[in-house]
Amino acid sequence: EITKLLRSVVDAQKQLMRVTVRAKMPSPAELPAVIKPLNDVIQKLTAYRESHRASKEFNHLSAISEAVPAFGWVCVAPRPIDYMTEMIGAADFYLNRVHKDYKDTPGHKEWIK
């Protein structure tokens, strides 16, 4: 399920990028409508993580959930890289927890990379 949601985020980002290369910058009033599909998918992914708090893979889900908002970089001015760096740092926190908790379990180190 999380894989499908992550794929949906990527697809929404692609669609947003297709629109932005052909259109002028939306006004502040238009921007929420333009990014709504991407925002909706990001919110679904976050809700999925929250609904699986008891999962043994909660830190895995959290790493994904914390990184995915970086796809919202298109709304951040003037330096989206600062926002993206912050989101990646939040994901790294959970990736380090996965590494610590599963250091002797095959597959998890590869998943982190």
Side-chain angles (χ1 to χ4, degrees):
E1 181 71 23
I2 193 77
T3 305
K4 290 178 187 174
L5 289 169
L6 187 54
R7 180 66 191 175
S8 295
V9 169
V10 172
D11 290 344
Q13 180 77 42
K14 284 181 185 178
Q15 183 59 33
L16 180 62
M17 297 308 289
R18 284 187 197 107
V19 169
T20 58
V21 297
R22 291 188 228 128
K24 63 181 174 98
M25 176 76 168
S27 71
E30 297 168 323
L31 188 59
V34 172
I35 64 163
K36 185 176 183 340
L38 177 62
N39 191 47
D40 288 349
V41 177
I42 291 172
Q43 287 180 356
K44 284 181 188 175
L45 197 141
T46 301
Y48 181 86
R49 178 199 57 174
E50 291 303 320
S51 69
H52 288 80
R53 281 195 166 273
S55 170
K56 292 188 323 188
E57 285 82 29
F58 182 72
N59 287 330
H60 296 73
L61 298 174
S62 294
I64 294 168
S65 166
E66 292 293 326
V68 163
F71 282 92
W73 67 269
V74 294
C75 300
V76 180
R79 291 184 37 92
I81 191 68
D82 295 336
Y83 173 74
M84 293 176 73
T85 301
E86 185 178 328
M87 296 299 100
I88 292 167
D92 279 344
F93 172 81
Y94 287 101
L95 291 173
N96 288 334
R97 292 181 89 172
V98 170
H99 182 54
K100 180 182 74 84
D101 294 345
Y102 292 94
K103 63 183 169 196
D104 297 325
T105 307
H108 294 274
K109 187 184 271 186
E110 294 77 10
W111 184 86
I112 292 169
K113 291 179 183 184

